[in-house]
Each structure stands twice: as structure tokens, then as C-alpha cells.
Amino acid sequence: MSVLIDEKMLDHLGVLSKLELKEEERKKTCEDIGDMLKYIDKLNELDTEGVDPLVQIIPMENVFRQDKISNKNEKDKMLANAPQKKDGQYVVPRTI
Amino acid sequence: MHRKKKTVNTWFPEQSDFAGKDDILSLMDFTAVELGEKIKSGDVSVVDAAKDCLDAIEKSEKDICAFITRIDEKEVIRQAEEIQKKIDAGELSGPLAGVPVAIKDNICTEGIRTTCASRILSDFIPPYSATVVSKLQNEGALIVGKTNMDEFAMGSTTETSYFGVTKNPWNLNRVPGGSSGGSAAAVSAHQVTFALGSDTGGSIRQPCAYCGVTGIKPTYGSVSRNGLIAYGSSLEQIGPIAKDVRDCAVILEAIMGHDTKDSTSVKRKKPGLLSSLTEDITGVRIGVPRDYFNSGTDIQIKDAVLEAVKVLTKKGAVVEEFDLSLVEYAVPAYYIIASAEAGSNLSRFDGVKYGFRTKEYNDLHQMYKRTRSEGFGDEVKRRIMLGSFVLSAGYYDAYYMKALKSKALIKKAFDSAFEKYDVILGPVTPSVAPETGTSLKDPIKMYLGDIYTVSANLAGLPAISVPCGLDEEGMPIGLQLMGDCFNEKDVLKVAYAFEKTRDYQKSPAASGGKAV
């Protein structure tokens, strides 16, 4: 059941992925993802009826801990990597 | 440096049982454990080791390009002196004290730029170190640099790096493999005695096979992923890349253990891996999957691996062929799961908190989109989009759920195999290292190169790659040994016994000569 990756689908994936491809990248990306899906479709040969999906390999239980602060205030260290900052805060474009 | 010639007699050769000792010229020609012993006994100082390491890197780095970031020479020497003081004071006595190490550039190092080989993190300086890095530093290991890799560990050739292509020390026209290509090349070229890599679908084992060195991917959950920049979280583990099996055991022992900062980290007693380093493999049951020798596998690789089977049989192992089944479904299942997790993990790169931000934008969403589109390379964008697709409404069941169910079947196939066998043996890769510039043209073919490695990631198994020969053109071939979850011991034991039957294969770049 190969899915066609067309311009419309590519736009949709761009929205989901927060990516904006250049005009010259678009055709090749459609083809590449299309080829990968065609290849991935091989899995359809496998009968997985009634099989439980396996997410975690090692059986585990939820890990609980006290909500205690263990680190120091590292605000300056965190902010050091920000591409734009002002008065100890991140600067982002206007959102509303 | 004249110093080397002067000191050469003091540390060579009597205590070295390391094959290839005949032409030891640099301390980087020793294994990590041997070098650690020499430092401990006072034969050489940590500064000697640091200087030889810096010299070795300087000598071959122009050809190999294994590093993205090299630590400033003065700083390395300063740290070496500090470590020496601690050794002298008896504060450091472990096997890796004073031994130089290179770290893959997707593992965070406090104060040292960590790029993931991506433009988007090209100026990122982590505010903390990964747990494995702290553990190595607590053991006294000396970090000399950060190694090149495929961008975000997505690739099999170390050609998708924003910082250039790493070359194979056996032949400069070939790729070193990937994604831990820089780490494997640095060890193979004897720039360092050991390095850390990470393995999401074969990214430790495949470059080790291509570069003729040894590396192990541990059981999922046994080494903390805290500080490893995430790609496929349910699949990846950090592991050692070194010259021999003993080094791998010692390094793995040093970095493994439970960590509250990694919620998938497993609480278990330290396994005591060193006790598995015996040559006695009498009665060890080894299964060889027939499906690992299909027509896509190079005949010379088949021959080399089957030769290893003969050697192990002679040493007393009970070897049997069997049908593992489902082998051809591992790669498609892997790419769905890895891409889905990549799409999710890489959503954090938005140009706000760290990393690259685009120059021109009108609003927040455009800023996100342009930052990501300019910051990520083609392969990364392709996998993020594929990940978004397989998780999107309408396709989630057909792709992502299907992959998780396939993963369950693959795990089951391994579970039944490990009822019969202690270790599963096969090739690491279907072919030797390809020429630079040939792989990225045909991504599907490149992905299929992972066919024998991805299963261990899907099933969480420990798996090692050890050199087992050279092909007609002089390129290394790797032997893979996989064990059941948490059975690193049998894997290391068989690998050690096999290794003891062979001479060490030194790459042309490490021999001081120029690789072709």
C-alpha cells in the first residue's frame, strides 16, 4: 500500500516537522521519502496479527523519586548558549 | 621528538603482550590497559602519554580528520599534570588513570564544544558532562578531543558531518564507517588508545569493522544515556572503541552502572567483566544464523567469518548453524522506529535555548522553520520528515505500530535462539568500507548495509565487533558476536579467545606510513 509523497503531503510533513524545504530540495525529498516508504512496506509481508507491540526491551516499572532540587541555580550557564538573550531571559520573536 | 627514542627502552618491550609490539614508536601504540599499567608503575608519566597522544594526532590528523574539536595542547598538559599528582598521591589507581581518550561528539562534555557534527549545534558548549564522561574523568582518563561522526549519528559513513569527512586509516579513499567514524578512525590510526562511541543501529560495530578495531555495544540500559544527545532513544547505547577485547571489557566496566538521570537505566550488580577474559571456551554454544550469509554478503567476508568459526570450533566451542528468521525485516522496522524517535527528539532544536538561529525571520514559526531547515543537513531532514510521516494521523498504525509489532517478533526470534546458544556469530557488515562519495547516492543501499547490526539494537542485545581478517584489497573485515541481554560476559569471552589466536592488524596510518 505504497503511499505517494506528493507536494501536498510534503507541505503537511513540513508543518509537522517544522521544516521548510527549498524549491530545489523538494522533488528529491519526495522521491527519497517515497523510495524509503516503498522499501519499508516490506514489513507488510509479516503477519503481525495478534502480536503486542514492543516498546521497551527491558521490562521496567515507573520510577518515582522525591521532587527535590539537587542541582544549583545554573541560570547563567543555561543562558550562555542562547542565540539571543536579554536581562537574563531568552529573546524570541513576538508571539501574539 | 627525541624524547621518545630516549625513553623507548624503559617501557618496551618486556611487559607488553600486545601483538604488534615489534614496531612500537609511540605510547599510543599500546592498548589503553597497557598504557595505564605503565603509568601506574611509573615507567612513563601522564604527561609523556599526553605528549605522545598530541604528537600522534598532529601527525596523522591532516589525513584522517577524526576530530571536530581538539583540546588545546597547554590545557591537555595541565590536566595531565593534575592527574599525575592524583596518581602520585594515591587518589587515582584505576586501570585508565592518565590514559588519553577521545569522545564522540554527541556525548556532552562540560565546557567543551559538543556539536553532534551539525551546524545547528556548531557553537554549543554543554553546561554539564554526560554520566559516562564524568565516570571516565573520575577514573583519571584524559580527554583530548571530540570525534567526528555522521550528523546526529544518522548515517553509516561519517560523510554527513557538517565539519567534513573522516578518512579510513587503512585507505584514505574509503570511508571509516559511521556514525562513530571519527572515534574508530582515531583508535585505528593510533591517535588515541581508546574512544567512546554510540550505537543506535550499528554505529560502534560497523566503523570498528571498517577500521579494523574492536568495539562493543552493551545491553540496552546498562550504560547511562544521560548526556548523550538523543537520536533513537529506545535503541542507543554508548560503548567503547579500542584496540582489543580486554580494553573493551575494562572501559565498559568503568562506564556501566545504574544512573538515576537515565530513566531507562537498569539497576544491576556490576558483572565483573574482567573475569570473562579467559581463553577457555570449551562447551560454549555458538549459533551461526544461515540468514547472515545471504547472497548480498561479500564472499571474502563469508570466508573470513567461516574461518573464525573453524578457529572457535578448534578451541572447543560447540558451533551450529541455524535459521534465525526475520533478518530482512530488521532494517525496515529499525528505520521506522529510529526515524519516529528522531523526529520527536530533534524537535528540541528550535533556535531559542541553544545552538544556531537563522538570521532573517518575520515571526516565531518562520524562525523555527528556517533555523531548522538551515541548521540540519539533508539526511537529518529526511529522517525527521519520515518520522513525522510514520507517526502522523492515518499512518501511525500502518507504520509505527507495525514496526513495534515486528520488533516484538524479532525479539522473540532472538529469545528462542538464546535458549539454544550462548552466543550468536556472524559478520558485522555485508561488505568492507566503500569508497568515499559512493554511499549517499543510494540511501536504501546504505541502509541495507546495517542489516546484520540493527537487530541487536531492536532486541537490546550486547554485540561486539572484532577484526577477523583483511580482504584482497587490504581492507579490514569484522566478526560480530551477540549475546542475550546482560550476557556481555560470554560475548567478551568468545571474542577474547578468538582474538588470542590472531596477530593485531595495524593500519597503515598507525604504522607511520601513509594509507593509500
Side-chain angles (χ1 to χ4, degrees):
Chain A
M1 52 131 236
S2 226
V3 180
L4 185 70
I5 302 291
D6 55 14
E7 293 278 323
K8 207 176 134 200
M9 175 60 94
L10 197 67
D11 285 337
H12 178 56
L13 295 181
V15 171
L16 294 175
S17 311
K18 287 264 183 286
L19 286 169
E20 183 181 74
L21 296 184
K22 288 195 202 103
E23 211 40 59
E24 61 268 26
E25 291 175 305
R26 290 177 64 93
K27 192 166 166 271
K28 175 99 174 54
T29 307
C30 281
E31 284 169 12
D32 284 348
I33 297 180
D35 284 351
M36 282 171 81
L37 290 179
K38 241 185 267 166
Y39 168 62
I40 280 169
D41 278 342
K42 188 172 177 56
L43 281 188
N44 291 325
E45 296 169 14
L46 267 185
D47 181 7
T48 50
E49 193 65 40
V51 176
D52 284 334
L54 178 63
V55 180
Q56 200 66 43
I57 282 291
I58 312 293
M60 276 191 183
E61 286 167 19
N62 263 336
V63 182
F64 293 102
R65 61 170 172 81
Q66 292 298 315
D67 189 15
K68 268 194 197 150
I69 298 169
S70 59
N71 53 311
K72 301 181 294 252
N73 181 351
E74 291 174 343
K75 186 175 166 183
D76 292 342
K77 253 178 162 179
M78 294 297 151
L79 272 169
N81 276 297
Q84 241 188 305
K85 54 190 175 259
K86 192 182 168 192
D87 302 333
Q89 298 187 50
Y90 297 117
V91 175
V92 293
R94 200 188 158 119
T95 52
I96 41 168
Chain B
M1 299 281 279
H2 297 294
R3 181 184 48 80
K4 265 183 231 163
K5 283 191 184 117
K6 209 180 82 202
T7 54
V8 78
N9 290 331
T10 67
W11 44 259
F12 175 75
E14 62 285 2
Q15 298 116 322
S16 173
D17 63 356
F18 178 49
K21 64 189 175 184
D22 291 346
D23 48 3
I24 282 180
L25 296 168
S26 157
L27 292 172
M28 294 308 108
D29 293 337
F30 287 107
T31 68
V33 171
E34 284 174 352
L35 179 57
E37 282 165 1
K38 293 191 174 301
I39 291 170
K40 205 170 168 178
S41 67
D43 279 358
V44 299
S45 71
V46 183
V47 172
D48 288 339
K51 282 185 176 163
D52 269 16
C53 178
L54 293 167
D55 282 354
I57 295 173
E58 187 60 38
K59 210 169 80 187
S60 56
E61 183 60 5
K62 246 200 299 164
D63 289 335
I64 308 293
C65 308
F67 287 85
I68 291 177
T69 303
R70 285 157 69 180
I71 312 296
D72 174 68
E73 202 172 313
K74 278 187 199 142
E75 177 59 20
V76 172
I77 301 295
R78 191 191 65 76
Q79 287 186 26
E81 286 166 347
E82 232 170 69
I83 292 168
Q84 185 67 58
K85 272 185 210 152
K86 286 187 184 166
I87 293 172
D88 294 343
E91 290 166 38
L92 285 173
S93 59
L96 299 174
V99 180
V101 59
I103 308 280
K104 186 177 180 180
D105 211 21
N106 60 349
I107 302 173
C108 284
T109 40
E110 184 175 350
I112 304 170
R113 183 172 74 139
T114 300
T115 69
C116 248
S118 180
R119 183 185 188 193
I120 211 157
L121 282 176
S122 50
D123 59 358
F124 175 62
I125 300 186
Y128 70 102
S129 281
T131 300
V132 289
V133 168
S134 305
K135 280 184 178 242
L136 283 183
Q137 285 176 324
N138 290 342
E139 291 277 319
L142 173 64
I143 295 173
V144 294
K146 304 297 295 288
T147 53
N148 201 11
M149 52 184 278
D150 282 295
E151 186 182 5
F152 281 99
M154 297 177 195
S156 314
T157 63
T158 312
E159 291 174 298
T160 68
S161 167
Y162 178 64
F163 297 89
V165 176
T166 298
K167 311 288 169 48
N168 191 311
W170 289 80
N171 181 332
L172 299 179
N173 298 318
R174 309 272 185 126
V175 302
S179 64
S180 309
S183 287
V187 174
S188 170
H190 292 198
Q191 293 181 326
V192 286
T193 54
F194 79 105
L196 289 187
S198 69
D199 191 314
T200 312
S203 284
I204 287 176
R205 291 160 286 155
Q206 183 255 32
C208 281
Y210 281 5
C211 293
V213 290
T214 304
I216 183 166
K217 178 201 93 72
T219 305
Y220 185 78
S222 55
V223 173
S224 169
R225 291 184 296 109
N226 171 51
L228 171 69
I229 299 173
Y231 154 32
S233 309
S234 77
L235 305 161
E236 56 209 7
Q237 277 287 284
I238 295 168
I241 293 177
K243 290 203 195 89
D244 70 0
V245 176
R246 182 172 58 157
D247 272 12
C248 283
V250 168
I251 300 155
L252 184 54
E253 186 90 7
I255 60 173
M256 72 197 311
H258 179 250
D259 181 13
T260 49
K261 289 179 178 163
D262 172 359
S263 60
T264 58
S265 165
V266 177
K267 246 186 207 156
R268 281 173 80 89
K269 269 212 324 237
K270 283 237 175 192
L273 297 176
L274 297 188
S275 65
S276 58
L277 303 181
T278 69
E279 287 184 63
D280 181 14
I281 52 164
T282 315
V284 173
R285 301 164 304 165
I286 300 176
V288 182
R290 282 187 203 97
D291 358 28
Y292 273 36
F293 296 86
N294 67 23
S295 56
T297 305
D298 186 289
I299 185 80
Q300 295 182 67
I301 291 185
K302 265 186 215 176
D303 288 349
V305 171
L306 292 176
E307 191 53 41
V309 167
K310 275 191 210 154
V311 167
L312 291 168
T313 309
K314 227 174 165 181
K315 286 196 79 108
V318 183
V319 188
E320 194 179 279
E321 282 184 24
F322 76 109
D323 292 310
L324 178 63
S325 81
L326 304 176
V327 172
E328 72 264 48
Y329 302 105
V331 174
Y334 168 80
Y335 274 94
I336 293 174
I337 295 168
S339 300
E341 293 181 10
S344 167
N345 275 323
L346 271 59
S347 63
R348 75 193 59 180
F349 300 102
D350 58 3
V352 173
K353 299 175 290 301
Y354 40 74
F356 165 82
R357 181 188 284 193
T358 184
K359 295 273 170 297
E360 282 176 43
Y361 47 86
N362 296 321
D363 59 35
L364 185 69
H365 285 278
Q366 201 176 48
M367 192 275 281
Y368 287 153
K369 278 193 165 187
R370 289 197 177 162
T371 292
R372 291 165 60 79
S373 304
E374 292 163 27
F376 292 134
D378 291 345
E379 181 67 26
V380 174
K381 283 190 258 194
R382 194 155 55 205
R383 292 200 201 182
I384 291 175
M385 291 182 111
L386 181 70
S388 298
F389 175 80
V390 299
L391 291 175
S392 65
Y395 299 104
Y396 179 89
D397 285 330
Y399 287 93
Y400 186 62
M401 282 311 263
K402 182 80 186 179
L404 291 183
K405 288 176 180 176
S406 308
K407 178 182 168 184
L409 293 176
I410 290 166
K411 171 79 177 154
K412 217 170 119 196
F414 275 101
D415 284 347
S416 22
F418 284 118
E419 280 170 18
K420 286 185 286 178
Y421 309 111
D422 304 307
V423 169
I424 293 176
L425 176 153
V428 180
T429 55
S431 56
V432 296
E435 286 190 9
T436 311
T438 56
S439 304
L440 298 179
K441 286 179 197 147
D442 187 351
I444 305 273
K445 195 177 161 211
M446 182 176 82
Y447 299 160
L448 274 170
D450 297 339
I451 185 159
Y452 304 133
T453 48
V454 292
S455 304
N457 301 83
L458 288 170
L461 313 171
I464 198 168
S465 170
V466 283
C468 70
L470 300 176
D471 78 350
E472 282 168 355
E473 292 178 327
M475 294 308 292
I477 298 169
L479 172 74
Q480 180 170 220
L481 300 160
M482 290 183 268
D484 202 357
C485 284
F486 304 107
N487 190 11
E488 272 80 1
K489 276 182 137 174
D490 277 341
V491 170
L492 288 165
K493 188 175 175 175
V494 176
Y496 184 77
F498 175 69
E499 181 185 77
K500 284 285 167 198
T501 66
R502 323 181 59 251
D503 283 340
Y504 174 71
Q505 291 171 355
K506 197 170 174 184
S507 73
S511 304
K514 248 201 155 84
V516 183

